[in-house]
Amino acid sequence: MIVQDTLQDDAVAPDRPLIVIASNRGPFSFKQKNNGEFTVQRGSGGLVTALGGLAERHEVLWVAAALSKTDRKWADMHEGRPQNVEGISLQLVQPSKNRYEKYYNVIANPLLWFVQHQLWDIPRTPVLTRDIWNAWRNGYVAVNKQFAEVIADTVKDSRRPVIVFPQDYHLYLVPQYLREMLGDRVQIQPFVHIPWPGPDAWRILSEEIRTAVLKSLLASDRVGFQTKKDAFNFVQCCRFYIDGAHSRGSRDAIDYQGRRVEARAYPISVDVEKIESLVEEPQVPLLKAQLLNAIGDRKLILRVDRIEPSKNILRGLEAYRSLLEMHPEHRGRVHLLALLVPSRMEVFEYQNYLQEIMAQAGMINAEFSDEYWEPVRILVGENYSRALAAMQIYDVLLVNPIADGMNLVAKEGALVNQRDGVILLSEDAGAYYELGEHALTISPFDIYLTAEAMHQGLMMPVEERHARAEALRRQVRGADVRTWFRDQVEDALQALNSQDRNDSTS
Ligand code: G6P
């Protein structure tokens, strides 16, 4: 593991910008051997990959939260200073456990996540209590401030232009704090990975919270979203809730307090090169052979998801049951495989979801299975190689979220599938804007039509399957995760350059 002190400002060309990524979960986590030596584990997220290429051309600092005891030890050992880890300069923020718990497990997930995915059962939940206000003030606000302080402290003396990219709903308040701490000399460009609903959905949050989030984002130079719809909804929310925010002559920018803040869509994607090399590794064909052995000559309907209410796994099972009821010719000839990854199990709203899924799958198996055939199989655990192997062999991929910022499973499936499989895609997934034309559209709430779409996918003529699968693959190959990040950096650089030109002419 290469670890060295970084960000020696003099060592690099003075006009080369410093790119700062801030995210709750960082690109690496640390473990410690018995002899005290740290080992580093690389996260698999798209952002880490996107930076792979970028770090060759730019100076990159990544600021993330220390998530484990060992992460904290590693950060302490380096006195909280940035260190070079595998080519990326990494700095860890260390909120206390108590603060972090409030910020992550009470406010970010579930409150903001549920508002933005519109998951609250509003006659009953949420109930905003004193505890939640306490978590907002002493957790979310405090951790966001801490992130901004760490970033500001590290970059304040930099003579290079600085561009900060705060990621996602964990860090909505970072732009405002950074602006207060560093003024206009930094470009601030948050990216929101999850859906941004229209003004009505935000009514759930009281004015103080809603306004804090929106005003902070309006302290940015530009806000990135997954789709044009999200960007448009953000503009509407600002116009609706923030006095003095206007969007004169533009659907995708807000003028507020003398600043023009753009709202742009940058659809995230997968790392095509990396996935194509991963499927060549020996474990993938082995796992594929095992799966094929279990499925035999039956058709495969696959889903791959985090165990997450927004993924709509229960209605997916219900739709499958309807398929078996309405089209008995598929009984014994199809298999539903769900590969589910545990997620956020400390959050109450997630705790019963797996049990409900298992119960429902059990009922379908009890109702329809015979001595040769078990209609549903649920495999729980994180095994990316197994997911890739399964994606190579699906006949139908079910992607039916209630709401989803993008949904990368749809893109991964389109890329690696070898059977001209059909994708059933929710019109409420961000991926729908790029892939919808060549997928079968489903409404996530409509199990009858989802069952019919499963039937249509299973029965589709070979030529049509082939044409759709080819088009999906082309689409994914044409816009990879590097494009996603490069476009954001280019927009920020362009703004910096025109700012420089204006400064030098004024
Ligand atoms: C999903 C979302 C991301 C989010 C992440 C957080 O992948 O699409 O927008 O940042 O979850 O996951 P975590 O496991 O860190 O809570």
Side-chain angles (χ1 to χ4, degrees):
M1 160 175 141
I2 321 151
V3 173
Q4 29 176 264
D5 230 332
T6 49
L7 294 184
Q8 303 300 320
D9 215 27
D10 295 334
V12 287
D15 56 345
R16 200 178 172 203
L18 169 65
I19 294 199
V20 183
I21 311 287
S23 65
N24 172 59
R25 194 177 287 279
F28 306 109
S29 58
F30 295 93
K31 294 264 175 300
Q32 208 170 13
K33 293 191 195 160
N34 289 342
N35 64 4
E37 196 191 318
F38 286 96
T39 57
V40 62
Q41 287 182 316
R42 207 187 169 106
S44 55
L47 198 52
V48 191
T49 325
L51 275 176
L54 198 80
E56 288 155 21
R57 279 173 292 129
H58 298 280
E59 191 72 8
V60 178
L61 165 69
W62 195 319
V63 179
L67 298 181
S68 68
K69 227 174 168 176
T70 321
D71 285 359
R72 280 192 284 276
K73 272 197 194 166
W74 180 86
D76 283 341
M77 185 173 86
H78 301 295
E79 292 165 357
R81 299 295 308 156
Q83 301 296 311
N84 185 332
V85 184
E86 297 187 1
I88 291 173
S89 181
L90 178 71
Q91 185 168 23
L92 296 183
V93 181
Q94 299 189 65
S96 70
K97 264 188 119 169
N98 182 281
R99 251 188 197 179
Y100 187 84
E101 159 73 24
K102 292 177 170 139
Y103 141 92
Y104 183 79
N105 284 333
V106 182
I107 302 298
N109 312 305
L111 186 62
L112 294 173
W113 178 276
F114 271 47
V115 165
Q116 292 193 238
H117 289 82
Q118 301 192 67
L119 296 175
W120 289 119
D121 173 17
I122 53 172
R124 296 180 188 82
T125 58
V127 183
L128 299 191
T129 58
R130 194 168 157 195
D131 284 350
I132 292 189
W133 274 100
N134 176 20
W136 168 256
R137 292 184 176 133
N138 300 315
Y140 193 83
V141 173
V143 173
N144 272 256
K145 194 163 179 208
Q146 211 174 334
F147 260 85
E149 279 164 357
V150 168
I151 297 167
D153 193 50
T154 303
V155 309
K156 67 179 188 300
D157 299 323
S158 173
R159 275 164 287 151
R160 283 178 281 152
V162 177
I163 310 172
V164 186
F165 293 97
Q167 301 298 303
D168 233 348
Y169 57 103
H170 312 92
L171 300 181
Y172 283 151
L173 304 184
V174 166
Q176 170 106 47
Y177 285 124
L178 272 184
R179 194 62 84 198
E180 283 164 20
M181 292 169 195
L182 296 171
D184 281 337
R185 50 195 277 281
V186 278
Q187 280 276 316
I188 307 176
Q189 191 168 322
F191 184 81
V192 180
H193 291 248
I194 65 174
W196 193 281
D200 281 348
W202 293 89
R203 262 184 335 117
I204 288 177
L205 300 178
S206 335
E207 192 192 349
E208 183 182 322
I209 298 182
R210 195 168 62 211
T211 307
V213 168
L214 291 171
K215 282 193 174 167
S216 173
L217 290 172
L218 287 176
S220 318
D221 293 279
R222 193 167 306 95
V223 188
F225 296 91
Q226 299 280 21
T227 68
K228 284 195 169 147
K229 179 173 138 202
D230 299 307
F232 177 74
N233 283 342
F234 172 73
V235 169
Q236 297 311 319
C237 284
C238 294
R239 293 177 59 193
F240 195 77
Y241 287 123
I242 304 296
D243 280 346
H246 302 285
S247 58
R248 289 192 194 92
S250 166
R251 282 162 58 111
D252 47 21
I254 285 281
D255 293 304
Y256 182 62
Q257 297 191 334
R259 173 186 305 283
R260 166 154 280 218
V261 185
E262 295 163 24
R264 290 228 176 128
Y266 303 96
I268 200 167
S269 192
V270 293
D271 183 350
V272 170
E273 222 175 86
K274 185 165 164 213
I275 293 179
E276 287 185 339
S277 94
L278 277 177
V279 292
E280 297 298 323
E281 287 185 1
Q283 67 274 28
V284 176
L286 275 177
L287 289 159
K288 183 169 109 181
Q290 274 175 17
L291 290 168
L292 282 171
N293 197 26
I295 296 160
D297 56 5
R298 296 187 184 96
K299 292 209 163 151
L300 176 64
I301 302 179
L302 175 72
R303 75 173 309 140
V304 181
D305 285 298
R306 280 187 308 110
I307 301 171
E308 154 69 56
S310 64
K311 301 294 182 186
N312 205 21
I313 300 167
L314 293 173
R315 283 199 196 83
L317 284 167
E318 212 35 61
Y320 181 61
R321 177 212 287 276
S322 303
L323 171 80
L324 299 177
E325 264 167 17
M326 298 187 310
H327 298 282
E329 67 272 25
H330 293 301
R331 293 184 195 170
R333 301 214 170 98
V334 68
H335 191 78
L336 174 69
L337 175 65
L339 302 182
L340 304 181
V341 181
S343 176
R344 305 180 192 160
M345 293 317 257
E346 306 79 14
V347 179
F348 170 76
E349 283 73 7
Y350 287 67
Q351 281 162 9
N352 294 329
Y353 198 54
L354 178 59
Q355 281 166 18
E356 288 178 65
I357 293 166
M358 296 313 270
Q360 200 166 352
M363 307 249 274
I364 297 174
N365 282 340
E367 188 176 343
F368 293 99
S369 58
D370 59 31
E371 53 193 309
Y372 305 109
W373 176 59
E374 193 183 45
V376 186
R377 186 135 187 246
I378 311 266
L379 295 177
V380 176
E382 184 150 20
N383 184 341
Y384 192 52
S385 301
R386 183 172 66 192
L388 287 175
M391 285 195 246
Q392 289 184 313
I393 57 170
Y394 66 75
D395 296 286
V396 169
L397 179 68
L398 176 61
V399 182
N400 67 327
I402 292 167
D404 211 335
M406 176 52 65
N407 196 293
L408 292 180
V409 171
K411 293 190 173 182
E412 289 163 335
L415 185 67
V416 305
N417 183 262
Q418 298 170 330
R419 278 198 188 177
D420 287 341
V422 179
I423 300 186
L424 267 48
L425 186 55
S426 160
E427 58 188 356
D428 296 312
Y432 187 77
Y433 292 82
E434 291 163 275
L435 306 183
E437 189 187 342
H438 308 293
L440 296 184
T441 305
I442 50 180
S443 154
F445 306 101
D446 193 325
I447 60 161
Y448 167 68
L449 290 183
T450 303
E452 286 299 336
M454 284 177 180
H455 176 66
Q456 193 189 340
L458 292 169
M459 304 304 285
M460 189 179 281
V462 177
E463 304 74 41
E464 187 182 348
R465 286 170 70 113
H466 182 67
R468 284 177 185 267
E470 275 293 302
L472 288 166
R473 218 174 350 259
R474 249 196 325 273
Q475 171 67 37
V476 176
R477 284 226 174 91
D480 157 287
V481 70
R482 287 182 185 78
T483 323
W484 169 73
F485 203 64
R486 195 198 53 213
D487 289 352
Q488 293 175 72
V489 173
E490 276 175 7
D491 282 350
L493 288 175
Q494 212 173 14
L496 266 178
N497 291 339
S498 58
Q499 197 176 322
D500 280 354
R501 275 199 300 277
N502 290 344
D503 290 351
S504 59
T505 50
S506 57

